[in-house]
Amino acid sequence: MTTIAVFKWAMDPHDERVGVDGNVKWTANKPVAGDDDHAVVKVACDIAADGEVVGLTMAGGDTAFAAARGAKRTIAIEGVDPLAQPMELAGALARAIESQEGVDAVVIGDCAWQPMVPSLVASMLGWPCVLAVDDARKEVGSLVVTRRFASGTQDVQVDCPAVVAVAARREEENKPGMRAILQARKLPVENVAGDATGFKRFESQGTHAPETAPARIFDGSDPETAVAQLISALAAEGVM
Amino acid sequence: MESIWAVVAEGMSAAAVVGVAQRSGLPVEAYVFGDSELANRVASYGVSHVHWWSDEQTLPETLAMSLASRAKEDMPTAVVSSDQATSRVLLGAIAVVVDAAVAHGIISVAPSDGGVKVERYVADAEAVEVLCAPGPVVCTIADGVAEAEPAATPAPIEEMEPEQNGSIKVLSTNEEGEGANGLQDAERVVGVGLGVGSKENVALAQQLADAIGAEVACTLPLCDNYHWFEHNRVVGTSTQKISPRLYLSFGSSGAPQHMTGVRAAKVIVAVNTDPEAPIFRECTYGIVGDVSKVLPAFIQAVSK
Ligand SMILES: Cc1cc2nc3c(=O)[nH]c(=O)nc-3n(C[C@H](O)[C@H](O)[C@H](O)COP(=O)(O)OP(=O)(O)OC[C@H]3O[C@@H](n4cnc5c(N)ncnc54)[C@H](O)[C@@H]3O)c2cc1C
C-alpha cells in the first residue's frame, strides 16, 4: 500500500506585501516547507510501516524534502499557479492523488497558511478526514489517529483510505544531515502536469486601509509614567 | 430566500462566527454541534433558527456529507465558521458539494451585485483585501472580529436526529489532557516570552498575575528549552488558543505560531525592548521597554 506525504505546497504569507498601487504582491514565487511538513513525513512513515511512502509536492527546485526523511520516491506537480486559491490547490492535489494506485492514506500539514485545503482534498476524494493530528498508526483497513481535542487529545479510528492533517507541536528535532539529503536527491522524482482548473474563484478588488486604530505605544524609558498611561487606557477599555 | 449559514462546533468562537454572519445583513441559519448550553447560547444571538446536533450522540465529522447535501438544497449565499478543526471538516465537505469559492481568515461577508463580497486582512494585517465571487462562498473567520450580542428573543432550536456514517469512531478521549489549568476561562492572562530573561522576572510576572487575578502563559521556548513552565502553559499553534479580555505580553517577539493562540483576546498589550518587534503590529497597546523595569513598576501601580 502507498501512503502519500504532501510537502511544500503552500506559500508563506509572510512573503505577502501590499504594493504602492494597493494590490497584493508576493516577494516569493514558490511554496516552501511549512512548519508541519517534517511531522507529516514522520506520520506517513509511521502509517506505512513496511509499505511505501511517496512524497507529493507543488514546489519546483529542491524536491528531496520527503525523500530525505524516508519517502521512496516523489511526485512533483508542475504548472499550478503558486498563488492558486484553496479549491484550486486542493483540486490539483486531489487529481494527482487519484492518479496513484493503492493509496491508503494521504498525510498533509494542518497548515495555518492554508487551513481549508486538507478537508477540501478529502472531500474531493470522497474520503474521511481527521485534522489537528499528532500521531497515527495503521491497523487492518483503518487508521488509529491521535488528534487534539479541546485541551486534551482523542484517539479515533478512521476507515482507509483517509486524509490525515498533521499539526506539528514544535520544530524538527533531528533534521536530516547532508549525507541523507544527497542520497535523497538520487531517488526518483516524477514530474506531473498539475490541473487546478474548473473551480470557482474569488477575484481581488484591491485593498484598503484597516479600520482598526493603530497600536498606542508608550515610551518605557520612564517605566512608572508608561505604566500609569497604560493602566488608565486599560481602565478606559474596561479590562483593568 | 437568501440566507447565510453559521456553522458552530465549539464555544470559544461561537459569538464571533455569528457576529460575522449577522453583519452580512442576511438571515442567519445556525448549525450547532455541541451541548445544549452551546445551542441555547447561539439561539440567544438573534439568529433566525438553530439546527442543533448533540455531540454526545453524533461525532460532527460523520455528518459532513449530510450537512453538505442540506447546503446543496438550501444554497445559502455564504457559509461561515471558525478555523477550529471540526468546523473545517464540515466546511470542506460543503464547499466541494455546493462548488463554492473558498477563503480563510475573513473579517466580513455580504451579498454584492448578484455575487458575494468578502474582506480579509493581508500582509500581516497591513491592509484589508476585498474579494468578490459569483457565490456561494465558504469561509473561515479571522480571530478577534466583533462578536454577536444577545438579542431580545431567542431563536427556536430544532434538535436534529443523531446520525453516524461509521467511517470515523472515537476510541478514547483524554479530556483534561495536559491543558486544564484555568487558561481557557481566564479573563486576564500575563504571557511571558524569552525576553523575560530570568527566573526572577518570571516570579515578578506571577506576582503581577496574582495582583490582577490573571493566569500566566508562556511561549514555547520557555517550556521546551528552559523548562520553566509545563507544556500546558504554552499558548499557540502547538497547544491552545485562549480568548481573555486582556493579554499582557512581556518579552515575546510575536511569532505567528504564538500569536495564533492569543489573537482572540479583546485587548493585547506588548512590552518589548525592540520597537520593531512584530508583536507591536498586532497589539492594542505597547510599551517599548525592558521587562525587568516595567514589571516592578506595573506591580507597584496595581498594588496601590
Ligand atoms: C511547529 C512549530 C510550532 C510552534 N508552536 C508554538 C506555540 O504553540 N507557541 C509559541 O509560543 N511558539 C511556538 N513556536 C515557536 C515560535 O516560532 C517562536 O520561536 C516562539 O514563539 C518565540 O518565542 P519568544 O517570543 O519568547 O522568543 P523570541 O522570538 O526570541 O522573542 C523574544 C523577544 O523578547 C524581546 N526582549 C529581549 N529582552 C527583553 C527585555 N529585557 N525586555 C523586553 N523585551 C525583551 C526581544 O526583543 C524579542 O522580541 C512553534 C514553532 C514551530 C516551528
Side-chain angles (χ1 to χ4, degrees):
Chain A
M1 291 308 270
T2 297
T3 305
I4 291 187
V6 187
F7 67 97
K8 285 198 193 172
W9 57 273
M11 298 286 282
D12 180 349
H14 285 91
D15 295 323
E16 194 179 36
R17 303 278 183 279
V18 178
V20 277
D21 59 359
N23 288 321
V24 176
K25 305 248 175 332
W26 286 77
T27 56
N29 60 10
K30 61 172 188 276
V32 291
D35 279 355
D36 309 302
D37 286 0
H38 68 90
V40 163
V41 187
K42 185 188 169 294
V43 170
C45 292
D46 292 346
I47 291 173
D50 300 331
E52 178 195 45
V53 173
V54 176
L56 176 64
T57 179
M58 301 279 250
D62 187 0
T63 50
F65 183 94
R69 290 162 175 81
K72 292 282 177 284
R73 60 187 174 96
T74 296
I75 301 162
I77 300 175
E78 291 182 322
V80 173
D81 180 357
L83 299 175
Q85 296 185 7
M87 285 285 268
E88 297 169 318
L89 280 175
L93 289 169
R95 285 165 182 166
I97 293 161
E98 272 167 343
S99 72
Q100 297 296 306
E101 302 259 313
V103 176
D104 56 1
V106 170
V107 189
I108 185 170
D110 198 353
C111 176
W113 303 343
Q114 280 291 356
M116 281 303 299
V117 167
S119 61
L120 291 172
V121 171
S123 182
M124 286 175 186
L125 293 169
W127 297 357
C129 175
V130 188
L131 302 183
V133 168
D134 281 334
D135 297 305
R137 64 169 202 273
K138 184 90 195 286
E139 297 212 328
V140 182
S142 67
L143 301 175
V144 173
V145 179
T146 305
R147 63 170 176 183
R148 299 186 199 165
F149 181 78
S151 55
T153 58
Q154 186 172 65
D155 282 0
V156 295
Q157 185 163 32
V158 53
D159 292 347
C160 286
V163 173
V164 169
V166 176
R169 298 252 182 192
R170 46 182 59 87
E171 269 183 59
E172 187 171 27
E173 272 159 25
N174 299 311
K175 291 193 171 54
M178 195 37 97
R179 179 191 281 238
I181 293 171
L182 292 175
Q183 289 285 329
R185 287 193 185 140
K186 294 185 193 143
L187 292 173
V189 178
E190 182 192 352
N191 294 315
V192 299
D195 179 6
T197 56
F199 298 103
K200 292 241 180 69
R201 335 174 5 101
F202 282 103
E203 295 304 330
S204 178
Q205 312 285 304
T207 61
H208 62 78
E211 276 161 28
T212 45
R216 265 180 75 191
I217 307 292
F218 306 107
D219 176 5
S221 53
D222 174 357
E224 282 75 22
T225 310
V227 165
Q229 288 169 327
L230 173 64
I231 289 178
S232 73
L234 296 180
E237 293 261 8
V239 293
M240 194 79 191
Chain B
M1 196 181 67
E2 275 194 302
S3 71
I4 183 167
W5 281 22
V7 175
V8 175
E10 46 119 30
M12 187 189 288
S13 58
V17 171
V18 177
V20 170
Q22 261 171 354
R23 288 188 292 281
S24 71
L26 296 170
V28 181
E29 294 288 320
Y31 287 81
V32 179
F33 303 84
D35 57 19
S36 59
E37 189 262 318
L38 182 61
N40 284 321
R41 185 144 69 82
V42 173
S44 78
Y45 292 143
V47 300
S48 307
H49 196 126
V50 174
H51 310 258
W52 167 53
W53 283 265
S54 160
D55 62 355
E56 270 180 16
Q57 296 170 58
T58 304
L59 188 63
E61 283 88 345
T62 61
L63 286 169
M65 280 320 292
S66 78
L67 192 65
S69 309
R70 270 174 173 265
K72 181 99 181 155
E73 274 169 33
D74 263 34
M75 273 308 203
T77 306
V79 181
V80 292
S81 192
S82 76
D83 69 356
Q84 178 258 359
T86 303
S87 308
R88 285 183 289 128
V89 172
L90 300 173
L91 291 198
I94 295 172
V96 171
V97 169
V98 305
D99 187 18
V102 173
H104 65 265
I106 67 154
I107 53 177
S108 76
V109 54
S112 159
D113 292 336
V116 190
K117 182 173 96 171
V118 310
E119 294 187 312
R120 60 169 186 166
Y121 290 123
V122 286
D124 286 337
E126 194 188 307
V128 173
E129 184 177 28
V130 181
L131 298 167
C132 287
V137 305
V138 166
C139 307
T140 62
I141 63 160
D143 288 322
V145 293
E147 299 188 341
E149 298 291 338
T153 15
I157 299 176
E158 182 184 352
E159 184 169 359
M160 311 301 288
E161 286 296 314
E163 294 176 41
Q164 295 289 349
N165 81 4
S167 62
I168 305 182
K169 71 172 189 276
V170 175
L171 300 178
S172 64
T173 301
N174 178 3
E175 283 271 8
E176 298 294 310
E178 40 172 34
N181 56 15
L183 269 177
Q184 289 298 320
D185 308 316
E187 289 267 299
R188 298 187 186 116
V189 173
V190 173
V192 288
L194 280 179
V196 77
S198 67
K199 274 196 147 174
E200 290 70 34
N201 285 340
V202 171
L204 289 179
Q206 183 66 60
Q207 204 179 323
L208 174 63
D210 293 344
I212 61 172
E215 291 287 337
V216 176
C218 70
T219 61
L220 187 65
L222 285 185
C223 159
D224 270 13
N225 307 351
Y226 287 78
H227 308 292
W228 287 351
F229 289 93
E230 296 284 312
H231 199 237
N232 66 4
R233 292 277 159 193
V234 179
V235 170
T237 47
S238 44
T239 43
Q240 58 193 320
K241 277 188 170 190
I242 55 172
S243 58
R245 286 167 56 70
L246 176 61
Y247 182 67
L248 291 166
S249 158
F250 292 90
S252 307
S253 57
Q257 296 89 348
H258 180 68
M259 296 311 287
T260 302
V262 301
R263 258 186 218 118
K266 180 168 184 276
V267 173
I268 297 177
V269 175
V271 178
N272 195 304
T273 41
D274 177 5
E276 300 297 323
I279 196 162
F280 285 128
R281 293 202 290 273
E282 297 211 44
C283 64
T284 330
Y285 301 99
I287 295 180
V288 179
D290 188 331
V291 290
S292 52
K293 303 210 169 75
V294 176
L295 269 173
F298 217 132
I299 293 166
Q300 199 179 16
V302 295
S303 311
K304 269 182 197 160

